[in-house]
Every structure is written in C-alpha cells, then in structure tokens.
Amino acid sequence: MRWTSLLLAFAAVASASAQSSQRTFVRINQLGYLPDGPKTAVACSLDSTTITSFTLQDNEGRIVFGPRKAIRAGSFAACASTHRLDFSAFHKPGRFVIVAGGAASPPVIISAQAYEGAADTLLVYMRQQRSGFNTVVKDSIHKLDGRIVDHPTRTNEFINVSGGWADASDYLQYVTTSANATFVMLMAYRDNPKAFGDNFDARGLAGANGVPDVLDEAKHGLDWLLRMYPGGEDMFNQLADDRDHMYFDFPWRDSSDYGWGKGKDRPVYPCTGKPQGLFKAKNRSTGYASTAGKYAAAFGIAAAVFRKTDPEFAKTLRERALAAYRLGRQHPGVCQTAPAVSPYFYEEDNWHDDMELGAASLVNATGDRHFLGDALNEARQEPVTPWMGKDTARHYQWYPWHNNGHYEIWRNASAGEKAQMAAFYRKGLEAVVARAGNGFRVGIPFIWCSTNLMTSFATQAYLYRKMTGDNRFREYEAAALDWVLGANPWGVSMIIGLPADGNFAHDPHAVITSRMGLQLTGGMLDGPVYRSIYQNLKGIALHNADEYAPFNTGFIVYHDDVGDYSTDEPIMDGTANLTYLFAAMAAGH
Ligand SMILES: [Ca+2]
Ligand SMILES: [Ca+2]
C-alpha cells in the first residue's frame, strides 16, 4: 500500500470514529507549500476551544517539527475559534500531517515543485469554455454569432463574431472579462514563460504544436477580440444576453431564442455611450473607455509578445490597440454589460484603470514614451482599486479586480514614478489588511466572486513584493492563496481538480458536469458569499443536502451544489486571472 493510501485510510478511520463528534478541522493549502515560503495551516473549531500546540508528523507518525505554539486567533464565520499553526521554520520537502486539537490535516506537501503545471491546469477549463471550435464536442458551436442590436444604423446586420469563451456556466460573452483574461494570460507568459508547457494545439485538442498552450489560449481570445473590434468607430462589447438563462442546455445545443428562433442567431451589443437594455432593465453606461482600454491593453501586450514570432500579426495588433485606445479617449466613461430580461449586469463603474493599462501597454507595443505620460495621468485618477478596504461593492463594480496598470507603468518608469506606483499598491493592500485580523488573515468583502477578489489581492501583494522587495504583506499574500487552495472554513479548494487528490467541488453549477459527469478541471469557483447575498439572489435552491452545513452557520456560506450559482459556479475570467500568480509561484517566487 502506498503512503498516500495509508494516509487516506488513516484519515477515513479518524473521521469514522470521530463522525459528528469531530469539532476541530485543520485547513491547509492542499496544493502545497514552497520550502522557503510562509507556511501556515488554520485550525477551525466549531466550539470555542483552546489549542495550545501542534506538531508536524511524517508518514510513520514521527514528529518532525514541534510541538509548536498554536496561535489563538478568535472566531471567524462558522469557526467558533481559530488557531494559526505556523510551520514556516520547517523547510524539508516531503509529505506530512499536521496534528492539532486531536485533528489531523489532509496531506501537507512541501515542495519547490508544488505549483509546477498548476497554471496549465487552469487552461484545461479555458479550453472547455471555448466557443467557435469547442474541445468537448470537437466541433464548431454557436455558428450564428451574431446579429447586431441597439445600433443607430446597423441593427439586425449579421457579423461574424464567432469564437471567444463562455463567461461562466451560461454562454454569454463579454469583452470586459475576455479582454482581461487575454491580457493576464499574456502577462503570465511574458513574465514566467517557463511555467507553461505545450501539450495542445491551436484548436485546443491534445497534441503539441510548438506553441506554449497559454499562447494558444491567448490567441483564441485575441482572434475573437479582433472580430469584436474590427477597427473604426464601431466597438462591440457583448455577445448574447441573459435570455440565455431560459435554458440550462449544453453549449452546443443552446436553445436560447433571441427573436430569430430557438438556437439561432445571438445578439451582438456595441458600446453606445448610453444606458443599454432592450427591455425594462437598463445599465448605466456612459462611454466606451472601460472596454476600449481593455481592448488596447490586450492588443498592446500581445503586439509585444508576438513581435518576434509573428510580426505580421503583431502589426495588426498594434494598429488595433492604437485605434481602440483613440476611441476610448474620444468616449470617456464606462461601457457596462447589457441586461435583458433580468436585472443583473456587470456594473463596472471605473474606467481610468482600463485606460491606464491600455496606455501602459502601448508603451511597449509602439516604443512611444508619450503613452507613459497618459498612463501616469490615469493612474493618479484611481490610485487604489475602490473595493479594497470596503465591506461591499456592486457586481463587478470595480473591475478588473486589481489594477495591473501600476505594475506595467513600473516596468518602464523612472525611480520616482516607480515609487509612486508601489505606494498606490501599498495603500490598497493596507486597506485590505486592516480588515484581516481574523484567523484566516483575509480582509476582502465576501461579495459575489470572492475567489476573484482573493486572487487579485494575492496578485497585487505579489507584484508589490516584486516591485519593492518589501515583505510586509507576505503573510497575507500567502493566506489569500492558501484560502483559494483549501485553507478556508470548508476545507475546499476553489479550483476544481486541483490538486487531483484534494477536496474540491464535485457538484458545481455547470450543465456539463451535472448531465455528462465531466469534471471541469481547472475551473475557479465564484466562492463563498455573505449569507445575505445568497439568500437574496433569485432562483437559488440547493438540490441536495448540504454536506458543509456545519460550516455554513456564519456570516459567509459556500455550497457544493448545482443549484447554487452564487458560490459554486466556475468562472472564466477568475480562472484566467489566477494564471499569473500560479506561474509566478511555479517559478519559485
Ligand atoms: Ca500548444
Ligand atoms: Ca475598470
């Protein structure tokens, strides 16, 4: 019997004997810890209790570290008491178990290779989300994308905007999330190219093609973005709308009827600079810049990445980046996603961050330094992404979840400007950390898509550390990443299938899983939300008994249930957003 099986057997015996009497649970980063990085587990007890010490044991039950003091850290959510179990001082690679308060942790991996391949695992989900040629059915889907709506002169005209990614478990497609996803994957590759492998071709099918898979994926995004913004004055922003939610269909059998017949053409929305919504619900759009800046950023960074390998493609990207940026300058303001029959939309209220990132990306794409001045002006309009330090925010109100623009400026700036960009990041991090005095060291608001916020906080903290060498937020950066990978009250990795032998969602809100049994490996879940959000969203009901009920008694909830689209839905842009951090961790940072 292998060591892992032994351990599982031990865990099964322990849990069977404890059953309902088990009240303390040791939560860990299930993917693993870097030997020289911060290493902390969190004991969550359902009763108010005091744990004095913990030990780290090897596969034969020998104590290899400790007993060390368990740090009492108060209550958090369903955990009546929490204790921090810090084993950072232990550096030896291997598989271990943490024992505290009579409870044993899942296997604790300490390895310099803990994150190897993790960024590529996220891409598995991205490939499954592809529209155009879809890797699950190995055929083209959504062939009638799409027909223009809400346009002064072109309404009803068909244009080819096939491709891109479905946003989540529905099949809507947004430029705001897709352009950000494309940007982050390119940034991840540019900064840590060795973290990515080549096992799939351009269509997303198995088989190497001489191109890192992350670039294949980014190219799939770019091809769609180039269709959605063909240049000129018309800038498209969205494909399909919430009439999609009428059916819980497979993507290749989408029965949605947008007025042209079931499963027929889907609507394409342009930015208009005015409130949009074909029916009663309207968004609050005011301009183009939030979308235009993201186009410019994705095209701009891509022009730099592809300059050597595909100069012709790079030239197209550079020209399109310039055209998109110019349109953003002409139409300041936000271009929000358009609601149809439901009142929900992505309520993005900021656009300086997007124009900043667009301008900063144009510095590298064109070599023209005047864009750096533009970028700095925009950066000073919004130094801190506004959700940081707050209790709540509207849905996607401050998006992207962190501002990569400050880092992109920093790469090209003078010493004084570099210091200013670092100070902007520091201010946001301080605001979150001020709320993170709990046992899990988390200070984000638990609004919808909390895993995205957790990832973005950790990424900003990492970028700050990279820019300054200042380690003051390192504990919080690690805590946020650990949370995503299982160090949370539920002991659930928020990434499906990661690690493969870990505890993750088996019943996500996704038709491909619920009807085909296909695991959406790599998909990042929205994650826990405030109980009040869960209770007030329309149409949510659990389909099965809640296996995490004991951990859902507090102010935040998470359910592994196909009926809970608020916490258990995998989401494309969050998944892509994590590629950067995983690639950086794989590189040993
Ligand atoms: Ca490839
Ligand atoms: Ca924005």
Side-chain angles (χ1 to χ4, degrees):
M1 193 184 268
R2 287 173 58 234
W3 144 238
T4 44
S5 320
L6 258 175
L7 186 73
L8 291 172
F10 165 73
V13 170
S15 101
S17 63
Q19 284 292 352
S20 58
S21 66
Q22 187 179 355
R23 304 294 282 171
T24 290
F25 302 84
V26 179
R27 302 312 196 191
I28 61 163
N29 178 332
Q30 295 171 21
L31 190 60
Y33 298 85
L34 299 174
D36 298 324
K39 295 181 276 304
T40 303
V42 183
C44 163
S45 304
L46 299 175
D47 305 311
S48 186
T49 185
T50 298
I51 298 169
T52 52
S53 67
F54 73 98
T55 59
L56 199 61
Q57 303 183 3
D58 69 9
N59 57 353
E60 278 154 26
R62 287 178 304 221
I63 293 174
V64 295
F65 183 76
R68 284 287 172 119
K69 192 171 172 6
I71 309 297
R72 193 177 163 84
S75 63
F76 181 80
C79 311
S81 57
T82 61
H83 291 79
R84 289 185 64 76
L85 317 174
D86 185 346
F87 55 106
S88 301
F90 183 79
H91 301 280
K92 193 180 155 206
R95 288 173 81 97
F96 307 95
V97 168
I98 293 168
V99 177
S105 73
V108 173
I109 313 294
I110 301 178
S111 168
Q113 285 80 43
Y115 286 86
E116 212 171 83
D120 274 339
T121 300
L122 299 171
L123 301 181
V124 176
Y125 177 71
M126 298 301 287
R127 285 190 289 272
Q128 284 166 331
Q129 288 301 100
R130 285 191 185 193
S131 194
F133 186 85
N134 180 273
T135 58
V136 180
V137 285
K138 300 185 172 55
D139 197 3
S140 289
I141 64 169
H142 282 130
K143 292 174 197 168
L144 297 173
D145 289 340
R147 200 177 282 268
I148 299 172
V149 295
D150 194 24
H151 191 285
T153 57
R154 297 177 65 190
T155 290
N156 269 327
E157 181 187 328
F158 181 87
I159 51 166
N160 175 16
V161 289
S162 172
W165 303 282
D167 202 53
S169 289
D170 54 23
Y171 309 126
L172 279 74
Q173 297 182 229
Y174 304 121
V175 167
T176 189
T177 47
S178 301
N180 184 54
T182 302
F183 179 88
V184 175
M185 288 191 288
L186 290 164
M187 179 184 168
Y189 174 76
R190 183 198 61 198
D191 285 4
N192 292 292
K194 294 201 176 103
F196 296 95
D198 172 23
N199 295 296
F200 295 86
D201 67 13
R203 290 181 304 169
L205 298 179
N209 64 345
V211 177
D213 299 338
V214 69
L215 289 189
D216 287 322
E217 208 54 42
K219 175 81 166 34
H220 180 78
L222 290 166
D223 288 343
W224 185 67
L225 294 172
L226 289 167
R227 291 192 182 106
M228 289 289 281
Y229 179 55
E233 303 305 308
D234 285 336
M235 174 169 277
F236 295 97
N237 189 50
Q238 174 173 330
L239 174 56
D241 61 40
D242 61 49
R243 283 173 282 178
D244 172 281
H245 298 169
M246 211 82 79
Y247 301 95
F248 197 51
D249 275 338
F250 292 118
W252 46 92
R253 264 186 238 146
D254 185 352
S255 326
S256 304
D257 186 341
Y258 293 99
W260 302 295
K262 267 190 171 190
K264 300 293 188 194
D265 310 43
R266 301 197 296 169
V268 192
Y269 289 78
C271 289
T272 61
K274 300 187 189 101
Q276 279 180 303
L278 299 178
F279 304 97
K280 196 170 143 208
K282 306 282 179 209
N283 67 18
R284 294 183 303 276
S285 287
T286 56
Y288 291 22
S290 62
T291 290
K294 293 190 190 77
Y295 270 120
F299 293 149
I301 192 172
V305 168
F306 287 101
R307 181 178 294 139
K308 284 211 180 94
T309 53
D310 193 343
E312 205 49 37
F313 186 48
K315 182 167 174 281
T316 301
L317 291 163
R318 189 167 57 248
E319 288 166 359
R320 210 63 65 82
L322 285 163
Y325 183 73
R326 181 186 51 77
L327 215 49
R329 299 285 290 194
Q330 280 171 9
H331 303 277
V334 289
C335 176
Q336 298 177 334
T337 71
V341 293
S342 100
Y344 302 133
F345 58 97
Y346 287 3
E347 306 181 51
E348 186 174 359
D349 270 342
N350 59 350
W351 56 271
H352 289 295
D353 56 340
D354 306 301
M355 289 300 282
E356 173 190 348
L357 187 61
S361 303
L362 279 167
V363 178
N364 292 324
T366 65
D368 184 343
R369 303 276 301 176
H370 100 264
F371 289 112
L372 186 63
D374 280 11
L376 283 161
N377 285 339
E378 299 290 358
R380 288 163 189 152
Q381 301 297 316
E382 189 182 277
V384 175
T385 303
W387 68 261
M388 294 187 169
K390 302 288 194 311
D391 271 333
T392 192
R394 290 199 293 269
H395 195 40
Y396 280 70
Q397 187 178 7
W398 312 115
Y399 185 81
W401 312 102
H402 73 279
N403 182 351
N404 284 310
H406 297 347
Y407 169 68
E408 293 296 310
I409 289 175
W410 174 86
R411 295 177 77 247
N412 285 303
S414 69
E417 291 155 355
K418 278 181 196 285
Q420 186 174 44
M421 294 306 111
F424 288 172
Y425 274 161
R426 186 166 62 239
K427 206 169 163 206
L429 295 168
E430 280 167 351
V432 177
V433 165
R435 297 162 38 89
N438 51 68
F440 290 94
R441 295 290 187 264
V442 294
I444 64 145
F446 282 91
I447 51 177
W448 204 354
C449 301
S450 67
T451 314
N452 297 17
L453 296 190
M454 210 66 89
T455 300
S456 271
F457 169 79
T459 306
Q460 180 163 323
Y462 166 76
L463 292 174
Y464 173 78
R465 181 159 64 86
K466 180 176 173 176
M467 288 157 64
T468 60
D470 177 353
N471 280 318
R472 76 176 79 177
F473 303 114
R474 187 88 197 262
E475 180 186 11
Y476 299 91
E477 174 194 332
L481 188 54
D482 292 348
W483 172 285
V484 170
L485 291 163
N488 52 56
W490 306 268
V492 175
S493 167
M494 294 294 152
I495 314 300
I496 296 171
L498 207 65
D501 60 352
N503 186 41
F504 49 81
H506 294 282
D507 193 17
H509 178 79
V511 68
I512 287 181
T513 301
S514 70
R515 298 216 196 116
M516 286 176 79
L518 186 73
Q519 180 175 300
L520 289 171
T521 300
M524 175 197 279
L525 300 177
D526 281 345
V529 294
Y530 290 129
R531 167 179 307 285
S532 56
I533 291 181
Y534 168 73
Q535 287 172 339
N536 289 320
L537 282 167
K538 296 179 176 180
I540 293 186
L542 300 189
H543 293 199
N544 300 107
D546 177 13
E547 64 267 52
Y548 294 106
F551 306 99
N552 282 327
T553 61
F555 76 109
I556 49 177
V557 296
Y558 164 77
H559 310 98
D560 183 15
D561 193 293
V562 65
D564 185 0
Y565 69 82
S566 74
T567 72
D568 212 30
E569 182 176 45
I571 186 150
M572 182 278 293
D573 74 288
T575 303
N577 191 31
L578 187 53
T579 57
Y580 188 85
L581 201 55
F582 272 6
M585 294 299 133
H589 298 302

